[in-house]
Amino acid sequence: MATATVAAAPAVRTEKAPGIKPRGWIGFLFIAPNLLGVIAFTLIPLISVVVLAFTDWNLVSGLGGITFNGIDNFVAIARDPGFWHAIGLTLVYVVVSVPLTVVGGLALGIALNRPLPGRAVLRAIFFLPYIVNVVAIGMTWLMLMNPRAGLVNQVLDAFGIQPGWFASSHWALPALIVMAIWGGVGYCSLIYLSALQDAPRQLYEAADIDGASVWAKFRVITWPSLLPTTIFLLVTLIIGASQGFGLIALITAGGPGDSTTTISYYMYQTGFQFYRFGYASAIGLVTFVGVLVLTLLTWRAQRGRALNE
Amino acid sequence: MGAGLAAAVVPGCAAGGGGRSGALQVWGGVPAASGPGDVVKAFREKFPQYDVNYTRFVNDDRGNLKLDTALQGGVDIDVYFTYSQGAMALRAGSGLAADLTDRVSNDPDLKVFLDTEQPRSYIDNGKVKALATAREPFFVLFNEKLRQQAGVDLPHAWTIDEFRSTAKQLTTNKTVGAYTVPDIARIALGPNYWYDGNRSNFGDPHFEQGFRVGREMIAAGTAFPWTEVLARHLDAYQQNSFLTEEFHLWSTAPFNLRYLYDAKKYPHDFKVAFAPSPTVDGKDWNGGSYSNFIMINPESPKFEAAWAFVKFWLTEGATPMLKGGKLPALGGVTDDQVITGMLGKEPDKYFDMDSFRRVVLEADPKLATDTRLTGFPEITLAVKQQRDLCWLGEKDPGAAIREVRRLADAAIARNERRP
């Protein structure tokens, strides 16, 4: 019986309705609008950047002005102090802001997972920075961090410190990092919240019966169950932070001096202010490879460590 | 007329497509309502056979990129404006500007554009590619009320040292003497002051002097604190601090006069007096220049109409641009037109007219327009970045200018290697 059923199945699948011929290309018609968009606005620009990375081109000279120069751009990148300075700043920005954002988000997520009064409102408030327009965020922080009249320094004045924030080459990057953490913690906490609610309750119950401490439960149950979420957040935040541009363009324009010229802003300067589009494309390509490697390393680091694997 | 003209000057109406229309397409950075709309209107009255569309692009990085891609992409543009010297070099050097040499050479009205001492045109390899439509001299504005309170004489001629001591006299515990120091190196060295042969000219001591004087004035409280300038993004909004009497000496150009006669938008209760730019060691180049360059797209199929428009703007049509503070590069306007155009309806109420006549109408300052532009955007950025560090008090003026020199030399060398 069973054999007959299994044998009959393929015959049913391949049977065609009378008068209807399958046409594969019809499927493409349905996805054509999206497909065209992806080709025009993602695929072609992506390929263009790769090709332009091997050229000297200033855009204004038109397609006829493209000169292929082999690996010259990459050799120049290796010798460019501005590039390495920007990479250094970007690494500091990523290495400081991403872990603190994740830790802050985790702490907030755990706190908001408790039965607090007004919990829904609190969640919405902490999530707000993630959805507010970048210009509004920039203007608000610009006022808050004004060295003389800003609220932040008025509070800090009580402790005898008066950072120059965006008007200081020493404080501008820390100020941007503070803003990045402020903007990302709410988002992380929300992602963590949903993960916490999926945590295996039976394990907690078993741990309670065994008399495990709060720390022991966090270390052995909570953290491993949150590991995939953490890795997801790390990857997305690393990618986001390495592409950070809006607030820098809005508030510091890479300065004072070049103290906030991260790699994204350096790429913008090179392309759109100096009109060195070939070189800017090469910087983009190198950065892409760097972020890809960093992402893969982060991804591989968690393999086999999650609770559900 | 109304509907037709409205359509003609609506920003953006010419953009897109790429197809050629019958109308002359003009792209500029000044809003149509601030003068270009009236220029177009006057042109169409004189040349009814030509229709004109004026499209405004915002004169910033993104706006200029839009213009460049439009020019490259074959969008219907016949005439366009260039405001920055960096963009000028790129556009003229990349075949985006028609050669106007013959037209200029054969027209007695325009011969002045061949002057290379105080250039009013951009000449690329001996070919005239762009013509300045505006003259933008610098001057120093005084808050007249506070000047009189302080008992300071209004200078008719002065040096940078006298500027500095005047700023000190005007400084009180509530107000700062000057916004900032005028560009000392520009006053001393004139056009192309960043270049010396195949290298940069930042070894000239006037550059370090400029950084040092600015820093010392800020430290002494006689120039505006640079932390405030950066934290409040004041460079683009200097007029607000002048109008609210945060500082009293303001080295600026005619385009900022529009804030000083509009009492509804910018209320203030003091008159403004004019002094000429200070001099340095007997050198007297003005910080201002000939600017707002008009160019014709070499791909334009309407060259005759385009040239008619360019010539009209240069020789007789630019009077409406006075309201935006643009003095016509070739003159051609009466003193009364300048006064009513640039100083509003009640000039006596907001300005000291004697000093305005002396400094703006009767003077003929030496205007320096740069024509050597190798690595110009990179050098501009290097100067700004190092000046900021120096004036924030984070870097010694000598070290800052040495860094500018290093970066500028590298930029010049790199750009001269490029094809």
Side-chain angles (χ1 to χ4, degrees):
Chain A
M1 263 318 262
T3 307
T5 309
V6 169
V12 171
R13 259 190 231 117
T14 53
E15 193 177 354
K16 294 167 193 169
I20 297 176
K21 292 180 181 172
R23 296 186 183 93
W25 56 266
I26 285 184
F28 282 102
L29 274 185
F30 285 104
I31 62 165
N34 268 347
L35 193 63
L36 287 175
V38 169
I39 290 170
F41 299 114
T42 304
L43 214 57
I44 291 176
L46 208 65
I47 294 166
S48 303
V49 165
V50 175
V51 173
L52 286 174
F54 298 92
T55 69
D56 189 359
W57 187 49
N58 71 10
L59 172 81
V60 179
S61 60
L63 295 179
I66 295 177
T67 314
F68 281 90
N69 61 3
I71 60 165
D72 283 4
N73 287 333
F74 298 95
V75 174
I77 283 174
R79 295 173 180 165
D80 180 0
F83 171 82
W84 292 109
H85 174 77
I87 286 287
L89 290 182
T90 308
L91 280 175
V92 171
Y93 184 75
V94 170
V95 166
V96 178
S97 71
V98 170
L100 289 177
T101 305
V102 170
V103 170
L106 177 61
L108 196 64
I110 291 171
L112 291 176
N113 196 34
R114 294 179 164 278
L116 298 168
R119 187 168 62 166
V121 177
L122 281 174
R123 286 176 186 173
I125 289 172
F126 285 114
F127 192 64
L128 263 182
Y130 189 71
I131 55 174
V132 172
N133 183 293
V134 68
V135 178
I137 291 174
M139 291 297 110
T140 307
W141 279 97
L142 207 54
M143 284 188 279
L144 286 171
M145 288 187 170
N146 182 290
R148 277 210 308 197
L151 186 65
V152 175
N153 272 16
Q154 286 181 22
V155 173
L156 289 176
D157 196 29
F159 303 97
I161 44 173
Q162 282 278 2
W165 299 121
F166 303 117
S168 158
S169 65
H170 309 299
W171 284 101
L173 191 65
L176 287 170
I177 289 172
V178 168
M179 290 170 62
I181 294 168
W182 173 83
V185 160
Y187 165 74
C188 286
S189 71
L190 216 71
I191 302 289
Y192 272 128
L193 254 178
S194 59
L196 282 167
Q197 283 162 8
D198 285 342
R201 306 225 162 269
Q202 66 277 21
L203 291 184
Y204 285 110
E205 287 161 9
D208 285 337
I209 292 166
D210 290 345
S213 68
V214 172
W215 169 244
K217 280 190 280 185
F218 175 81
R219 191 169 54 81
V220 180
I221 305 170
T222 310
W223 178 244
S225 72
L226 291 181
L227 198 56
T229 307
T230 305
I231 295 302
F232 164 75
L233 286 173
L234 280 175
V235 167
T236 52
L237 288 176
I238 286 171
I239 293 171
S242 63
Q243 293 174 341
F245 176 79
L247 286 172
I248 294 171
L250 193 72
I251 296 178
T252 65
D258 56 1
S259 61
T260 56
T261 306
T262 57
I263 196 64
S264 295
Y265 198 77
Y266 188 65
M267 204 178 343
Y268 166 77
Q269 265 180 354
T270 308
F272 294 101
Q273 290 183 346
F274 303 163
Y275 277 67
R276 299 175 66 197
F277 279 88
Y279 191 62
S281 301
I283 293 173
L285 198 57
V286 170
T287 309
F288 166 74
V289 172
V291 173
L292 185 68
V293 169
L294 205 59
T295 305
L296 290 175
L297 287 176
T298 311
W299 203 261
R300 283 185 66 89
Q302 61 96 40
R303 283 172 83 182
R305 294 187 186 177
L307 193 64
N308 54 359
E309 286 184 15
Chain B
M1 179 68 184
L5 182 63
V9 297
V10 167
C13 58
R20 299 277 168 188
S21 73
L24 192 67
Q25 305 293 341
V26 180
W27 281 41
V30 181
S34 299
D38 289 332
V39 179
V40 167
K41 183 179 171 186
F43 176 74
R44 292 182 70 198
E45 280 169 4
K46 183 166 182 181
F47 298 96
Q49 69 271 34
Y50 297 133
D51 194 10
V52 182
N53 280 340
Y54 180 80
T55 300
R56 193 232 173 165
F57 66 92
V58 180
N59 182 31
D60 59 10
D61 287 343
R62 269 173 281 182
N64 277 292
L65 182 69
K66 181 181 169 187
L67 172 61
D68 288 329
T69 47
L71 284 166
Q72 275 304 335
V75 173
D76 189 4
I77 300 173
D78 301 295
V79 177
Y80 63 94
F81 281 83
T82 295
Y83 301 91
S84 81
Q85 297 301 93
M88 176 82 75
L90 276 167
R91 288 170 190 162
S94 303
L96 296 180
D99 178 7
L100 307 176
T101 315
D102 289 345
R103 298 281 178 159
V104 170
S105 306
N106 296 330
D107 192 326
D109 291 342
L110 305 179
K111 282 254 166 99
V112 70
F113 283 110
L114 300 175
D115 177 15
T116 51
E117 293 294 312
Q118 289 186 61
R120 298 175 201 216
S121 58
Y122 180 69
I123 300 175
D124 179 36
N125 288 326
K127 293 176 180 171
V128 177
K129 295 285 183 72
L131 306 169
T133 59
R135 185 165 57 91
E136 293 192 316
F138 272 31
F139 37 64
V140 178
L141 300 182
F142 275 74
N143 178 323
E144 191 61 358
K145 180 181 75 180
L146 293 162
R147 182 188 70 79
Q148 289 174 6
Q149 278 175 9
V152 172
D153 289 335
L154 184 64
H156 290 207
W158 53 343
T159 63
I160 203 79
D161 289 335
E162 288 164 337
F163 174 89
R164 191 173 173 176
S165 61
T166 304
K168 191 174 179 183
Q169 282 177 276
L170 289 168
T171 300
T172 68
N173 58 351
K174 288 183 181 171
T175 57
V176 180
Y179 175 68
T180 188
V181 63
D183 189 344
I184 288 176
R186 175 65 103 181
I187 295 168
L189 302 170
N192 301 319
Y193 70 144
W194 284 350
Y195 302 89
D196 178 20
N198 291 327
R199 299 195 65 186
S200 83
N201 194 32
F202 291 97
D204 186 286
H206 290 101
F207 288 103
E208 187 176 332
Q209 187 191 356
F211 274 24
R212 193 173 297 282
V213 170
R215 178 172 169 150
E216 287 171 358
M217 286 180 69
I218 291 165
T222 60
F224 215 80
W226 213 246
T227 46
E228 284 289 293
V229 172
L230 295 188
R232 289 162 57 188
H233 288 204
L234 265 189
D235 235 15
Y237 305 101
Q238 298 168 34
Q239 69 278 1
N240 294 346
S241 295
F242 182 70
L243 287 165
T244 52
E245 303 189 352
E246 287 189 88
F247 67 84
H248 305 128
L249 284 181
W250 187 17
S251 178
T252 187
F255 55 79
N256 272 324
L257 295 178
R258 66 183 187 271
Y259 300 111
L260 305 178
Y261 63 76
D262 190 343
K264 279 187 184 169
K265 276 190 191 167
Y266 308 99
H268 58 288
D269 65 350
F270 59 88
K271 277 191 178 186
V272 171
F274 296 76
S277 277
T279 58
V280 180
D281 309 332
K283 310 283 178 61
D284 59 354
W285 282 93
N286 187 279
S289 63
Y290 290 98
S291 58
N292 293 242
F293 287 85
I294 197 167
M295 306 160 91
I296 296 179
N297 184 355
E299 302 297 320
S300 168
K302 294 164 271 188
F303 186 85
E304 288 307 321
W307 177 250
F309 184 79
V310 168
K311 189 179 173 189
F312 176 78
W313 190 300
L314 290 167
T315 54
E316 57 184 304
T319 313
M321 299 303 293
L322 286 167
K323 75 172 86 165
K326 313 281 187 191
L327 286 161
L330 291 184
V333 285
T334 65
D335 287 358
D336 284 345
Q337 283 175 316
V338 174
I339 289 168
T340 53
M342 287 175 63
L343 304 183
K345 290 175 183 164
E346 301 173 288
D348 289 306
K349 187 174 175 183
Y350 297 108
F351 299 97
D352 173 63
M353 293 307 296
D354 284 346
S355 61
F356 178 76
R357 287 179 196 282
R358 188 171 59 245
V359 173
V360 180
L361 297 181
E362 292 161 16
D364 186 20
K366 288 158 70 178
L367 301 180
T369 302
D370 294 315
T371 51
R372 281 210 62 193
L373 303 170
T374 311
F376 205 86
E378 289 98 321
I379 300 173
T380 305
L381 181 69
V383 170
K384 185 201 173 303
Q385 287 185 335
Q386 296 304 314
R387 180 205 60 191
D388 285 350
L389 293 178
C390 177
W391 287 0
L392 286 171
E394 295 183 3
K395 202 164 188 176
D396 175 75
I401 214 69
R402 281 194 295 278
E403 180 65 3
V404 174
R405 190 179 184 184
R406 185 185 71 78
L407 293 167
D409 283 341
I412 291 169
R414 184 171 57 242
N415 281 279
E416 286 191 339
R417 273 202 309 272
R418 295 173 77 183

